[in-house]
């Protein structure tokens, strides 16, 4: 949230008055030349409902208002009233709205594109935290699993509020996790596919004819998992890709399961591979639906600590941990095989994809601990 200084101040004084950790104010203002802020200068502060109440309380109102002019606060307050839009079909446009709200309310987040979809939609990564432990999470590799994006965004929002408000989970301080961990967060890997499943395609679209051919001339795209080219992005990685290519029934572009003509042919899968190579992650979590299961091993390449982490995931969620699965060429498979680091696939919920929104609250409550454990379980 952008505010203006009513008089000369500094970040330490603001930290004491707002009851917000000083590092969050530093990280929210990377362009400030010093910790000293002149009267009339604009800067960013995090903003939560708890902080709103703190600012508005009688005992704190005067000192805060004497130092800070909340000249943009009305717009921000309206946006925080319904933060993550979990009660509607979560397409790319909804994601963009929520990313704008999240980065405004929590300006210590860095948002950047890591690549583009086939149709040129930016694939966004959020970076949160300053620690040496590196964790990555992603959702919506598969188009009709778009509910994973809204669950991920709600996981993230809960964490961000806890970081600002001094919250904890299972005795772990959110601020400590922020300082010890750098979180890479890609909420929607396959935006073209998500848009297709939720919104369809108009006849004038450049890909209309090819998509309709792949979908047997049906306008029902609910079972579409692939990207807009008809390639399953989670069958695109060079971890025994040849096995999947041989045994997968689709030999041509399809709504699901077609692994492509070679590994890493699609811009979305390429972007994620480049991110994993550059990010040097210690742990990755790929969120899918459905089955309430956690896949955690691959070809015995996973490190020993993967077992203790998945045990904690299962304890918190009730999900079943499955070490070995007769499947290859997935993002998690490749990450474990190539990096010899911890990788997990979380299958949220039970039912038929796309899972209905009336399952959201139950899915979220069962799975939220997995998010937190991903940040505190690494040694």
């Amino acid at each position: 949230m952008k505010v203006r200084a009513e008089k000369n101040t500094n970040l330490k004084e603001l930290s004491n008055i707002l009851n917000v950790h000083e590092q969050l104010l530093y990280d929210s203002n990377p362009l400030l030349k010093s910790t000293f802020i002149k009267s009339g200068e604009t800067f960013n502060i995090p903003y939560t409902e708890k902080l709103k109440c703190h600012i508005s309380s009688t005992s704190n109102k005067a000192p805060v208002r004497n130092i800070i002019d909340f000249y943009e606060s009305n717009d921000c307050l309206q946006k925080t009233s319904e933060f993550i839009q979990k009660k509607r079909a979560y397409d790319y446009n909804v994601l963009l709205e929520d990313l704008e709200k999240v980065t405004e309310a929590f300006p210590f987040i860095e948002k950047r594109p890591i690549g583009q979809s086939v149709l040129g939609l930016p694939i966004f990564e959020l970076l949160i935290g300053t620690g040496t432990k590196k964790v990555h999470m992603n959702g919506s590799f598969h188009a009709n699993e778009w509910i994973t994006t809204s669950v991920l965004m709600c996981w993230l929002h809960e964490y961000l509020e806890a970081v600002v408000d001094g919250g904890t989970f299972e005795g772990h301080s959110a601020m400590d996790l922020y300082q010890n961990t750098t979180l890479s967060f890609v909420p929607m890997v396959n935006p073209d596919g998500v848009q297709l499943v939720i919104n369809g395609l108009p006849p004038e679209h450049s890909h209309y004819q090819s998509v309709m051919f792949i979908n047997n001339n049906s306008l029902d795209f609910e079972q579409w998992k692939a990207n807009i080219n008809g390639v399953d992005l989670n069958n695109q990685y060079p971890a025994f890709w040849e096995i999947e290519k041989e045994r997968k029934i689709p030999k041509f572009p399809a709504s699901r399961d077609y692994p492509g003509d070679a590994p890493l042919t699609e811009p979305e899968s390429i972007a994620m591979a480049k991110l994993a190579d550059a990010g040097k992650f210690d742990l990755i979590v790929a969120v899918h639906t459905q089955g309430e299961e956690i896949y955690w091993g691959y070809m015995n390449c996973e490190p020993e600590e993967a077992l203790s982490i998945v045990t904690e995931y299962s304890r918190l969620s009730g999900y079943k941990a499955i070490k070995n699965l007769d499947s290859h060429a997935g993002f998690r498979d490749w990450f474990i095989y190539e990096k010899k680091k911890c990788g997990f696939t979380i299958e949220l919920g039970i039912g038929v994809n796309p899972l209905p929104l009336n399952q959201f609250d139950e899915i979220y409550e069962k799975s939220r601990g997995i998010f937190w454990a991903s940040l505190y379980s690494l040694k």
Side-chain angles (χ1 to χ4, degrees):
M1 174 183 177
K2 189 172 291 294
V3 296
R4 182 188 295 117
E6 286 281 89
K7 66 177 187 178
N8 293 346
T9 186
N10 58 71
L11 295 184
K12 186 174 185 63
E13 180 181 29
L14 290 169
S15 172
N16 291 332
I17 291 175
L18 295 172
N19 197 26
V20 171
H21 198 286
E22 194 171 345
Q23 183 175 348
L24 296 178
L25 297 178
Y26 286 129
D27 294 345
S28 296
N29 295 280
L31 299 181
L32 283 181
K33 295 180 179 179
S34 73
T35 62
F36 179 77
I37 300 173
K38 296 179 180 179
S39 176
E41 190 172 1
T42 60
F43 57 98
N44 297 309
I45 64 169
Y47 202 75
T48 66
E49 287 296 317
K50 183 176 179 180
L51 183 56
K52 169 189 170 183
C53 294
H54 174 74
I55 292 170
S56 301
S57 66
T58 303
S59 59
N60 290 292
K61 184 175 181 180
V64 173
R65 294 290 180 175
N66 285 341
I67 294 175
I68 302 174
D69 175 15
F70 295 87
Y71 70 102
E72 291 187 351
S73 62
N74 288 336
D75 184 46
C76 188
L77 288 177
Q78 290 174 1
K79 289 180 178 179
T80 57
S81 61
E82 181 190 301
F83 218 94
I84 305 302
Q85 301 174 63
K86 60 185 181 181
K87 300 301 184 183
R88 57 185 287 194
Y90 207 95
D91 68 7
Y92 185 73
N93 298 319
V94 176
L95 173 64
L96 293 182
E97 293 172 10
D98 283 352
L99 289 178
E100 181 182 1
K101 290 185 290 187
V102 165
T103 52
E104 180 180 2
F106 305 98
F108 49 84
I109 295 174
E110 179 185 349
K111 184 183 80 170
R112 63 180 186 179
I114 60 165
Q116 292 184 337
S117 68
V118 172
L119 297 179
L121 297 178
I123 301 168
F124 287 107
E125 177 196 34
L126 303 180
L127 285 169
I128 303 102
T130 59
T132 56
K133 296 178 183 179
K134 296 189 176 182
V135 174
H136 167 79
M137 299 183 188
N138 63 65
S140 290
F141 249 98
H142 287 144
N144 66 346
E145 299 174 12
W146 51 262
I147 197 172
T148 58
T149 297
S150 54
V151 171
L152 278 162
M153 290 296 291
C154 285
W155 284 355
L156 181 65
H157 183 235
E158 178 185 359
Y159 172 60
L160 294 171
E161 285 198 319
V163 168
V164 176
D165 296 338
T168 63
F169 181 87
E170 295 276 314
H172 298 275
S173 160
M175 189 64 209
D176 287 348
L177 296 176
Y178 176 89
Q179 292 179 308
N180 293 328
T181 309
T182 299
L183 173 62
S184 161
F185 203 78
V186 179
M188 188 176 289
V189 175
N190 185 7
D192 295 348
V194 170
Q195 292 295 85
L196 176 64
V197 170
I198 295 176
N199 301 317
L201 277 185
E204 63 273 15
H205 195 279
S206 60
H207 282 63
Y208 182 80
Q209 294 298 331
S210 61
V211 166
M212 289 298 292
F213 179 80
I214 291 171
N215 209 44
N216 296 316
N217 289 318
S218 172
L219 292 172
D220 181 359
F221 298 106
E222 279 201 344
Q223 299 307 307
W224 190 285
K225 294 176 65 176
N227 74 346
I228 201 73
N229 284 340
V231 177
D232 189 322
L233 297 178
N234 205 39
N235 278 315
Q236 266 273 284
Y237 291 88
F240 296 94
W241 175 87
E242 297 81 5
I243 294 176
E244 295 302 303
K245 177 65 172 177
E246 176 65 25
R247 68 183 179 182
K248 289 295 186 185
I249 293 175
K251 302 304 179 186
F252 302 96
S255 62
R256 56 177 295 158
D257 299 335
Y258 177 62
D261 295 330
L264 298 176
T265 60
E266 303 307 295
E268 301 93 341
S269 52
I270 292 169
M272 292 299 294
K274 288 182 176 179
L275 178 65
D277 284 337
K280 302 186 184 305
F281 303 126
D282 300 299
L283 179 152
I284 64 106
V285 175
V287 183
H288 291 254
T289 56
Q290 45 75 36
E292 295 193 347
E293 295 174 334
I294 307 166
Y295 308 134
W296 64 279
Y298 184 72
M299 306 294 288
N300 294 316
C301 294
E302 67 282 349
E304 289 185 4
E305 66 179 321
L307 175 59
S308 63
I309 294 172
V310 78
T311 300
E312 181 71 349
Y313 286 172
S314 291
R315 180 185 75 84
L316 293 167
S317 66
Y319 284 16
K320 181 181 179 181
I322 299 175
K323 182 178 181 181
N324 296 313
L325 187 70
D326 185 19
S327 179
H328 305 280
F331 178 73
R332 177 196 67 94
D333 307 328
W334 168 77
F335 180 82
I336 297 174
Y337 186 70
E338 181 76 19
K339 314 297 182 184
K340 306 300 188 290
K341 297 290 183 71
C342 295
F344 305 92
T345 296
I346 314 298
E347 297 284 355
L348 300 177
I350 293 178
V352 177
N353 292 328
L355 295 180
L357 283 170
N358 61 18
Q359 285 195 29
F360 182 94
D361 291 338
E362 180 181 359
I363 290 171
Y364 176 76
E365 287 302 320
K366 281 188 175 183
S367 64
R368 57 189 281 268
I370 293 173
F371 174 93
W372 288 93
S374 299
L375 302 182
Y376 68 68
S377 293
L378 279 170
K379 305 302 181 187

